[in-house]
Amino acid sequence: MQQSSELFFVSSNTHKFEEAQRILSNLGLKINLYKTTLEEIQSNSLSEIAKRKALDAFSKIEKPVIIEDDGLFIDSLGGFPGPYSSYAYDTIGNKGIIRLLENIELRNANFTAIIAFFDGSSDVKLFESNIPGKISLSIEEGGWGYDPIFIPDGESKTYANVSDKDKFSHRSASLKKFSDWFMHMQ
Ligand code: ITT
């Protein structure tokens, strides 16, 4: 049974929302999109960025909110783009990342998702997951964002072409932690 709730996923990114909606719906939780661009502070910490995004989201709609902050951390680039993933995607994009890794054999990376929940009472709650993987040698067709270059461990294809991204994704893992907690709160 779907739990009815006034829970808003606040984001400028409809791809993120569509995946989150599908994942949470399979876990019995309904969310709505509130589309807006949130304040993204400059910080080395995804948790700090996520907390601030949740407070900003709540101040905009004054209803229970979840936001998500993601980062792609590439080992041989010292964790870059990490907390700057959104900016790096909009500037150098997947082409730039592949170019930075030209002739580099060590292609290990991980995709991190932090879900932050805030309803105006107590503190912002954070739920984090990291999915290990590697950066592909070339850009695959399909998907969105970094999907065409991130291969989760255990797979031979990128997120853009795995048979069921939700099974492996950083988003699914964090949302599962969130929903376990949230369902117990209701
Ligand atoms: P918000 O409005 O929710 O902040 P955003 O797109 O700025 O949306 P993030 O800062 O959380 O989101 O994401 C950092 C970058 O990582 C951004 O370029 C996303 O497109 C990308 N990204 C996040 N999850 C992804 C996924 O599952 N597949 C591909 N790219 C992803």
Side-chain angles (χ1 to χ4, degrees), residues 61-118:
I61 58 176
E62 305 215 322
K63 295 210 165 97
V65 292
I66 50 178
I67 65 86
E68 181 188 328
D69 201 60
D70 301 301
L72 177 65
F73 294 78
I74 301 175
D75 289 2
S76 56
L77 301 180
F80 179 82
Y84 309 103
S85 294
S86 200
Y87 182 71
Y89 184 77
D90 293 342
T91 51
I92 62 171
N94 288 332
K95 261 194 189 153
I97 300 281
I98 294 291
R99 206 169 296 140
L100 286 174
L101 290 177
E102 228 163 37
N103 301 321
I104 295 183
E105 262 175 48
L106 183 73
R107 304 182 78 85
N108 296 32
N110 74 73
F111 228 136
T112 299
I114 299 189
I115 297 293
F117 169 85
F118 190 55

Side-chain angles (χ1 to χ4, degrees), residues 11-13 16 53 70 86 144 146-147 165 170-171:
S11 175
S12 62
N13 186 327
K16 273 166 68 165
K53 275 166 89 170
D70 301 301
S86 200
W144 56 275
Y146 293 111
D147 279 352
K165 179 181 172 187
H170 51 305
R171 177 161 303 105

Side-chain angles (χ1 to χ4, degrees), residues 14-160:
T14 43
H15 298 291
K16 273 166 68 165
F17 170 70
E18 280 162 13
E19 288 187 13
Q21 187 182 40
R22 182 174 68 217
I23 293 161
L24 287 177
S25 165
N26 286 333
L27 295 168
L29 203 57
K30 183 178 172 298
I31 53 169
N32 311 289
L33 174 65
Y34 186 88
K35 194 170 180 198
T36 187
T37 301
L38 293 168
E39 179 194 23
E40 201 150 325
I41 58 162
Q42 290 286 311
S43 167
N44 288 332
S45 155
L46 278 196
S47 305
E48 275 311 309
I49 299 171
K51 258 188 213 162
R52 289 287 286 273
K53 275 166 89 170
L55 294 171
D56 188 30
F58 184 79
S59 76
K60 284 188 156 79
I61 58 176
E62 305 215 322
K63 295 210 165 97
V65 292
I66 50 178
I67 65 86
E68 181 188 328
D69 201 60
D70 301 301
L72 177 65
F73 294 78
I74 301 175
D75 289 2
S76 56
L77 301 180
F80 179 82
Y84 309 103
S85 294
S86 200
Y87 182 71
Y89 184 77
D90 293 342
T91 51
I92 62 171
N94 288 332
K95 261 194 189 153
I97 300 281
I98 294 291
R99 206 169 296 140
L100 286 174
L101 290 177
E102 228 163 37
N103 301 321
I104 295 183
E105 262 175 48
L106 183 73
R107 304 182 78 85
N108 296 32
N110 74 73
F111 228 136
T112 299
I114 299 189
I115 297 293
F117 169 85
F118 190 55
D119 64 0
S121 68
S122 72
D123 292 339
V124 176
K125 293 268 185 294
L126 300 179
F127 305 86
E128 174 170 350
S129 290
N130 304 288
I131 297 298
K134 56 181 182 297
I135 303 300
S136 56
L137 291 169
S138 58
I139 301 173
E140 285 186 4
E141 287 285 321
W144 56 275
Y146 293 111
D147 279 352
I149 62 165
F150 182 75
I151 305 174
D153 274 0
E155 288 297 298
S156 55
K157 294 177 177 166
T158 67
Y159 265 174

